[in-house]
Amino acid sequence: MKTELAKNGEITKGYIFESKDVGGKGTTYHYYTFKVANTLYENHAANGEFSEKDSIYIVYDIQNPDKNWALKLLENDYPDQLQKNPNYLNLKNNEHLTRAKAY
């Protein structure tokens, strides 16, 4: 699923609404929500450098937004597949232009 999301997923912004330590091995779940076509979806990302109330990018399956993953985690694990995703490339180009204009 993650490989397919990295190659073909849509990207939107979401936010972390809760972070909670689970189990005894130091795992932290960061619960996030995002909206697609006026429907809210929720999921969680295990570990990662997230904090409550952070905004994050979410990659989701346009046919089934319940299939989703935090972009930051896909960037760590599937960088080559993301380079084939036009939505990701467009996002990166736009972020670069926005930062460049700020300086």
Side-chain angles (χ1 to χ4, degrees):
M1 174 189 84
K2 291 185 247 178
T3 302
E4 201 55 38
L5 283 175
K7 285 196 280 187
N8 300 308
E10 291 288 326
I11 300 173
T12 191
K13 258 193 180 172
Y15 78 94
I16 307 262
F17 63 87
E18 182 179 14
S19 294
K20 187 186 307 186
D21 293 331
V22 294
K25 295 184 181 181
T27 300
T28 302
Y29 280 0
H30 303 281
Y31 296 90
Y32 60 83
T33 186
F34 64 101
K35 186 187 275 190
V36 176
N38 293 323
T39 301
L40 287 175
Y41 295 88
E42 293 181 3
N43 203 349
H44 67 274
N47 298 322
E49 296 177 16
F50 302 111
S51 298
E52 279 186 40
K53 299 185 181 172
D54 275 354
S55 62
I56 62 170
Y57 284 109
I58 307 299
V59 182
Y60 67 93
D61 180 336
I62 195 152
Q63 300 298 320
N64 183 2
D66 284 319
K67 294 180 181 178
N68 59 77
W69 209 254
L71 175 59
K72 193 179 217 180
L73 299 178
L74 290 175
E75 286 178 321
N76 290 336
D77 298 336
Y78 299 90
D80 294 337
Q81 289 82 354
L82 281 168
Q83 293 302 315
K84 298 172 185 170
N85 184 330
N87 299 310
Y88 178 73
L89 297 175
N90 187 41
L91 174 71
K92 285 304 187 188
N93 288 336
N94 287 336
E95 282 188 339
H96 173 71
L97 290 174
T98 302
R99 280 196 300 270
K101 289 179 186 175
Y103 293 107

